[in-house]
Amino acid sequence: MASSDALPVVDLAPFLTGDEGGIARATEAVREACRTHGFFRAVNHGVPAELLVRALELSAAFFTLPDEEKVNVRPAAGYNTPLPAGYGQQPAHSTDKNEYLVAFDPKLGFNVCTRLSLLDSETVEECWGKLTEQGWLIQEILNECMGLPPGFLRDYNDDRAFDLMIARRYFLGPEGEEENNGFGAHEDAGCVTFILQDSVGGLEVLKDGHWVPAEPIDGSIVVNIGDFIQVLSNGKSKSATHRVVRKPAHRHSFAFFFNIHGDRWVEPLPEFTAKIGEAPRYRRFLYKEYQQLRVRNKSHPPARPEDVFRITHYAI
Ligand SMILES: O=C(O)CCC(=O)C(=O)O
Ligand SMILES: [Fe+2]
């Protein structure tokens, strides 16, 4: 792997201290990362390292519970969540070898479960608050990187009802290198995803045809640009393909999806099309429709990998 392939590390401290020169340099680093990798690792981001450790420990403790207890962790009757919530196992025929727990914003009340669990914890609430703040900050930085009018993304993507958090445990990888898929190659749909991971490793990002590992760095957060930004920028910012390979140890991660609301229409912006004389590379679509079709990929996995529903469906 060439050294320029390693995931960039972006120091966000200047945004906390207000150091203007540092802000300009960090913004430039994010702009470059969006173009080259669609991924970076944020350090000095303001989310306490102790909170990241606490969340991952809590998740590890949850997943060691017996299956009979975990399967009962689901929203109580009458709670209609925007997407399926609670504990889930991948269907037996799935090549994804992980189990997961989906949470919504604790303030929305969807996480009220049939059983007490990780979902009801103060740690999840604290993480939610901090990662939402992080989402607003990264979105502001993206707005600047993309040269959009001040506050444009903040106004466009101002409703947080579709944000969600998924805690995952990846099963042990088999001996040798064969069949070690933990989560198959995919892109994320929304605005930006944050990944907190333990020290096991296994997340990989596709860059120029080869897989680059997102090596764990203590206290860092992996930041991943989603399809929404790729479409708005007409392909200038990259929603990178990524996957998780299994290792000889259980791996725990949290993915926080700073999404966009399902009722929003999404299409390439004039700044990246008409205003610069370029043809749009995507058709206009309703975000909810895209999300629902992606959920179908999971509930009714297509027989042929090329039939998996992805953003290319809207490509012109
Ligand atoms: O577990 C990870 O590191 C990545 C998870 C992921 O890519 C996702 O949830 O979309
Ligand atoms: Fe992902």
Side-chain angles (χ1 to χ4, degrees):
M1 183 181 82
S3 60
S4 62
D5 284 347
L7 291 202
V9 175
V10 180
D11 185 348
L12 297 178
F15 293 97
L16 307 179
T17 58
D19 157 24
E20 301 234 330
I23 289 178
R25 282 189 295 279
T27 304
E28 191 46 44
V30 172
R31 181 183 290 121
E32 186 60 9
C34 289
R35 200 181 60 75
T36 56
H37 292 72
F39 262 77
F40 62 91
R41 285 170 294 182
V43 295
N44 299 321
H45 37 63
V47 184
E50 167 278 323
L51 176 59
L52 304 182
V53 171
R54 184 154 35 102
L56 287 162
E57 282 176 358
L58 195 66
S59 158
F62 169 76
F63 285 113
T64 53
L65 292 175
D67 277 5
E68 312 82 84
E69 284 196 38
K70 287 185 285 193
V71 292
N72 283 321
V73 177
R74 56 175 185 269
Y79 285 89
N80 293 318
T81 53
L83 289 166
Y87 173 75
Q89 295 177 346
Q90 305 289 353
H93 56 267
S94 172
T95 53
D96 289 346
K97 301 298 175 204
N98 64 70
E99 55 186 332
Y100 56 90
L101 184 63
V102 180
F104 285 90
D105 183 348
K107 288 191 291 302
L108 298 177
F110 292 133
N111 298 340
V112 177
C113 273
T114 47
R115 295 291 291 254
L116 278 183
S117 79
L118 170 63
L119 291 185
D120 306 297
S121 80
E122 278 171 24
T123 302
V124 166
E125 197 158 342
E126 230 176 300
C127 271
W128 199 283
K130 290 286 181 194
L131 293 172
T132 302
E133 272 173 33
Q134 196 68 196
W136 289 118
L137 170 64
I138 299 292
Q139 185 169 259
E140 281 306 300
I141 300 174
L142 293 177
N143 196 89
E144 176 69 20
C145 292
M146 293 164 77
L148 298 172
F152 176 86
L153 287 179
R154 192 173 53 224
D155 294 343
Y156 190 147
N157 183 16
D158 61 347
D159 189 320
R160 307 266 49 87
F162 269 60
D163 291 355
L164 56 99
M165 186 147 97
I166 306 184
R168 277 205 177 79
R169 172 163 87 157
Y170 293 88
F171 302 134
L172 300 184
E175 296 289 322
E177 292 299 304
E178 302 291 304
E179 305 275 324
N180 64 356
N181 184 58
F183 192 156
H186 67 281
E187 299 82 32
D188 289 2
C191 181
V192 59
T193 309
F194 300 121
I195 296 161
L196 324 180
Q197 57 175 337
D198 64 15
S199 58
V200 171
L203 174 61
E204 299 183 342
V205 179
L206 191 62
K207 178 171 189 290
D208 303 329
H210 49 258
W211 292 103
V212 175
E215 308 274 10
I217 301 181
D218 278 354
S220 71
I221 297 179
V222 176
V223 182
N224 167 8
I225 304 305
D227 292 337
F228 168 67
I229 295 292
Q230 176 167 295
V231 171
L232 291 191
S233 69
N234 204 28
K236 294 275 185 302
S237 292
K238 191 155 136 188
S239 169
T241 305
H242 53 285
R243 68 178 185 186
V244 177
V245 295
R246 284 181 290 151
K247 299 283 178 179
H250 282 296
R251 172 176 185 268
H252 298 89
S253 70
F254 271 93
F256 179 83
F257 299 89
F258 193 80
N259 267 329
I260 72 155
H261 194 279
D263 291 336
R264 295 278 181 215
W265 287 91
V266 183
E267 66 187 322
L269 297 173
E271 281 80 357
F272 298 96
T273 54
K275 288 188 185 170
I276 56 168
E278 286 192 14
R281 295 169 59 185
Y282 299 93
R283 282 183 284 126
R284 184 172 193 254
F285 64 89
L286 190 62
Y287 187 69
K288 185 162 56 184
E289 179 201 76
Y290 182 38
Q291 278 281 22
Q292 283 160 359
L293 289 162
R294 287 173 58 106
V295 170
R296 241 190 110 69
N297 284 339
K298 298 271 177 205
S299 59
H300 299 78
R304 303 184 318 157
E306 58 271 39
D307 294 334
V308 170
F309 197 91
R310 349 166 81 110
I311 198 66
T312 44
H313 176 79
Y314 300 109
I316 297 175

